[in-house]
Amino acid sequence: MTAPMRMSHFFLKTLREAPAEAELPSHQLLLRAGLVMPLAAGLYCFTPLGWRAMRRVEDLVREEMDRSGAQELRLPALQPVELWKRSGRNETFGSVLFRVTDRRERSFVLAPTHEEAISALASSQVQSYRDLPMTLYQFQQKFRDEPRPRGGLIRLREFCMKDAYSFDLDWETLDDSYRAMFQAYTRIFDRAHVPAVPVEADSGAIGGKDSQEFIYLNSNGEDEILLCPSCDYAANAEKATFRAEPPVESDPAEMKKVETPEVRTIANLSTFLGIEERQTVKGVFYEVDSEPVFVAIRGDLEVNETKLRNLLKAIELEPMDDAAVLRTGLVAGSASPVGLEGIRVVADKSVKEAINLVGGANEPGKHILNLNYGRDWTASVVADIALAKAGHRCPNCEGQLEVRSGMELGHVFKLGTSYAEALDVQFLNKEGERRTAVMGCYGIGIDRLLAAILEANHDEDGIVWPRVLAPFDVHVVVLGGDDPEVAQALAQLEAELGETQLEALVDDRDESPGPKFKDADLLGMPIRLTVSPRALSQGGIEFRERSSRESEIVPLEKVIERIQKGTD
RNA sequence: CGGGGUGUAGCUCAGCCAGGUAGAGUGCUUCGUUUGGGACGAAGAGGUCCCCGGUUCGAAUCCGGGCACCCCGACCA
C-alpha cells in the first residue's frame, strides 16, 4: 500500500529532444524520459524513476532465481589482488581490471565478476557431499575498464549484474543445475518481453563445457550471431562451426613451382591460375604472446581468432605487423608452410583433407602446385580454426547460415573444476574420498537488460512498459485540477488506489494538457487515467492502455476493477 | 590504441570560413489569458564559448598543445 506519487514533487525532468550523444533508441529514451543521467563515459546516475525501473527488473530476475531454488547472497566488490593471482585471472583479465591500493599500499581490484570470491566462500563452507548441490546468486556492481563504453547502458564500466554460481558433485548433477538456470533465464526474458534466443557461445580459455548466451537479436547489438534458417542451430560467430565446401577431388600429384608474377592475394592467385579459391592454401601470420605463429588455412576461408586463441591458450594474440613479418623472414603474398623453419605452424582442418592445393613458395612471385598435407608439410596442431560466415553450410543440416547482430543479455556456462581447483572447493563423497566441486556460472546484465527492454518495447512516442516492469502501474493525468468536481474525483481515486498494491504517478502539475499527455506517452506506464471535467461529464474518468492506445470512460467506482482486469 | 566527428545557456543548435557588444528555439522564473495532445501574450533570470598557452590593440573565431564526449575499428573471462 503506497500513497500515489505526485509529479509536482517528483524528482524528474523529461526532455523534449534527446541529447545528441544518444543514438540508440534505448539510450535516447533513457535520457528523454529522465531515467538516467550520464556522469562520465560508461557511468550513469539513476534517477528515482530510473531506479524504480531497475528495481522492477531486478525483482523479476530475483523472483525467477528464487523459483529455481537458487539462494541470494552478497559478495564484496572490492577484493584483494591475491585472490586473482590464485585463479590466474590477474594476468588474463589484464587491463580490464580496475585496480586500487589501500593506505598500506596493498593491492585490490574492483571485481569484474565473482568466480574467485564465491569459490573462496564455498571453499570455506563446503565440506561434505551433503552440502551439494547448491546454487548461489547475487546482484552486485561489477567494474570493468572497458576500452570503449558505448550505447548508454549497453556497455558500461560500472554495472549491475545478477551472477549465479552452481556447485555440484559431478558433471551429471551439474547438468541439472544448468538446466534449471537455463529454464529460469527463458522465463525471465519471456516475462520481460525481450525475445532473447539461446545460442552456442565461446567458453574461453578457462576450459569448461557447454556455454550458451541469451542473445536479443537487434541491429544495434555488438555480437555477431550465425543462425540456420532450416534448423535450430544458432551460435556466436566466435564459436560457430560450419561445413566447408568439400575439397576438389583428384589424385595427389607432384609438387611443382610456377612463376606467378605480381600475384599477392588468394583472389589474384585463383584468377591467374584459373582455379577455385578452395584449391589454394594461404598463410596468415600472428604474434601470439610475443611468439610468431604461421596459420595455414584453405584459401576460401578465414581465421577465427577466438578459436585460435583458445587452441593456443593465448593471452595476447594479434596479426603480425609488417616489421615483424620482415624480421621473421616471411614472404607476405607468397607465404607457405612448406619448408618453414623456426616458426610454429598451426593448420585449419580444411587443409589437411584437401588434395593438390596451391600455396606460396616463400619466394616473391612464385607459388607451388600440388601441396599435400603430410607429404609436403605438417603443422604442430591441426584443428577447426575457421570463421563461419553468412552463406556457409549449417553444421547440422543443409541450410545456409545467416548472420545477425545481437545483444548478449545472459550467459550460462558449465565452468567445470578450474576455479574449484585453484581455490580448493572440495568435499568428501559418500566413500570418504576427497573430490573437487564442479561449477557452473550464470550471468545477466541488469542494466543492459533494462536497455534491451526499452529497445523491444517502445514506439515513436516513447516507452511502452510491459506491465510487470513498469516503474508505476498507473499514470493519472489531472486536467482542470481547480474544478471542485475534478478535485473531489481525484481525491477519491487516490484514496482507492491507496487501498491497493497499485503504484500510481499523478500528474498534478500546472501544465496544459499537451505536455501532460506527451509525458504520459513518453514515460509509458501501462495505464493512463485522465481525470477531467470532460470525462466526468461523460460519466467517469478516461481509462487508456499505453500498448493498445484504446480508451474508454469508466465510472469512478469501477476504475480499480478495470485496472486489475488483465494484470499479468 | 588507430580512424572519424563534436565541444557555445538545462536541452537542440546558429555564430567560427572573413577576429571587434555572446545569439535563436525550447526549458526555467514572474504576471495575465488558456485548459483534451508540447497553447498565447508580456517581463525576466541564466554563459569559464571544454582547458592551457601563443599570435593580435582586440580571440568563441586564427595557431600550438591538452582534455572530454560520441561513432567506427582493435580490444572485451
Side-chain angles (χ1 to χ4, degrees), chain A residues 7-297:
Chain A
M7 252 170 120
S8 56
H9 298 115
F10 194 44
F11 180 60
L12 176 73
K13 296 285 174 198
T14 58
L15 293 173
R16 198 160 177 161
E17 292 176 276
E21 68 197 42
E23 275 194 4
L24 306 189
S26 63
H27 193 186
Q28 295 180 346
L29 289 167
L30 283 160
L31 294 169
R32 277 196 64 209
L35 301 173
V36 301
M37 190 211 80
L39 189 64
L43 301 172
Y44 282 86
C45 303
F46 281 80
T47 64
L49 185 67
W51 188 240
R52 272 175 174 264
M54 276 288 275
R55 280 174 42 185
R56 284 281 175 109
V57 177
E58 194 179 302
D59 284 345
L60 189 159
V61 174
R62 176 176 287 116
E63 208 174 291
E64 293 301 332
M65 293 307 292
D66 289 345
R67 189 201 303 273
S68 80
Q71 304 175 52
E72 185 169 357
L73 50 57
R74 182 75 161 189
L75 303 164
L78 185 64
Q79 304 177 356
V81 73
E82 283 71 25
L83 195 58
W84 291 76
K85 287 182 176 164
R86 285 178 69 188
S87 69
R89 291 208 295 183
N90 185 41
E91 281 73 39
T92 53
F93 247 107
S95 51
V96 173
L97 276 183
F98 271 108
R99 298 165 190 280
V100 291
T101 307
D102 75 4
R103 65 175 75 202
R104 275 169 281 196
E105 298 295 314
R106 285 180 304 212
S107 297
F108 288 79
V109 307
L110 290 170
T113 173
H114 283 71
E115 281 81 4
E116 281 80 359
I118 196 81
S119 300
L121 174 65
S123 171
S124 78
Q125 308 289 315
V126 171
Q127 296 173 311
S128 154
Y129 71 93
R130 295 172 202 276
D131 297 328
L132 304 181
M134 65 173 179
T135 297
L136 305 171
Y137 78 99
Q138 65 168 342
F139 292 89
Q140 174 63 287
Q141 298 301 103
K142 311 289 184 188
F143 299 85
R144 296 185 187 184
D145 194 354
E146 294 286 351
R148 183 152 88 85
R150 61 174 289 274
L153 298 185
I154 301 295
R155 191 184 260 321
L156 296 164
R157 291 195 293 176
E158 176 182 344
F159 59 97
C160 179
M161 181 189 273
K162 184 289 300 173
D163 48 327
Y165 306 89
S166 63
F167 295 85
D168 274 280
L169 300 166
D170 53 40
W171 286 92
E172 281 70 49
T173 67
L174 170 59
D175 287 345
D176 297 332
S177 303
Y178 184 88
R179 197 174 308 118
M181 213 45 57
F182 187 95
Q183 282 165 357
Y185 276 35
T186 304
R187 290 182 58 95
I188 288 166
F189 297 119
D190 235 38
R191 293 183 61 196
H193 292 236
V194 177
V197 297
V199 312
E200 289 182 23
D202 173 44
S203 52
I206 295 299
K209 239 167 68 184
D210 302 325
S211 171
Q212 285 165 294
E213 290 166 344
F214 283 81
I215 300 282
Y216 166 41
L217 295 172
N218 174 295
S219 56
N220 297 318
E222 41 186 7
D223 285 287
E224 204 170 270
I225 308 300
L226 285 132
L227 297 164
C228 178
S230 314
C231 71
D232 59 0
Y233 182 75
N236 194 306
E238 295 176 343
K239 167 83 176 179
T241 58
F242 62 99
R243 283 184 291 158
E245 274 192 83
V248 174
E249 298 282 346
S250 61
D251 294 323
E254 284 296 301
M255 278 205 289
K256 183 179 170 196
K257 193 180 287 186
V258 293
E259 298 284 335
T260 52
E262 305 298 318
V263 170
R264 292 179 54 82
T265 64
I266 293 295
N268 289 163
L269 183 64
S270 74
T271 310
F272 184 80
L273 295 174
I275 57 174
E276 293 184 47
E277 294 191 350
R278 66 186 158 133
Q279 290 174 274
T280 68
V281 54
K282 70 178 162 190
V284 189
F285 324 138
Y286 286 93
E287 193 97 42
V288 179
D289 295 330
S290 308
E291 293 289 321
V293 171
F294 184 106
V295 176
I297 189 166

Side-chain angles (χ1 to χ4, degrees), chain A residues 226-233 392 394 397-403:
Chain A
L226 285 132
L227 297 164
C228 178
S230 314
C231 71
D232 59 0
Y233 182 75
H392 280 153
C394 173
C397 76
E398 294 304 310
Q400 281 201 330
L401 296 176
E402 292 174 356
V403 68

Side-chain angles (χ1 to χ4, degrees), chain A residues 350-372:
Chain A
S350 58
V351 294
K352 190 175 179 182
E353 298 150 4
I355 297 163
N356 296 338
L357 294 178
V358 179
N362 290 324
E363 287 179 55
K366 293 182 180 167
H367 281 80
I368 302 178
L369 308 183
N370 305 325
L371 293 178
N372 288 286

Side-chain angles (χ1 to χ4, degrees), chain A residues 479-491:
Chain A
L479 300 181
D482 293 338
D483 184 315
E485 282 184 49
V486 168
Q488 200 219 321
L490 176 62

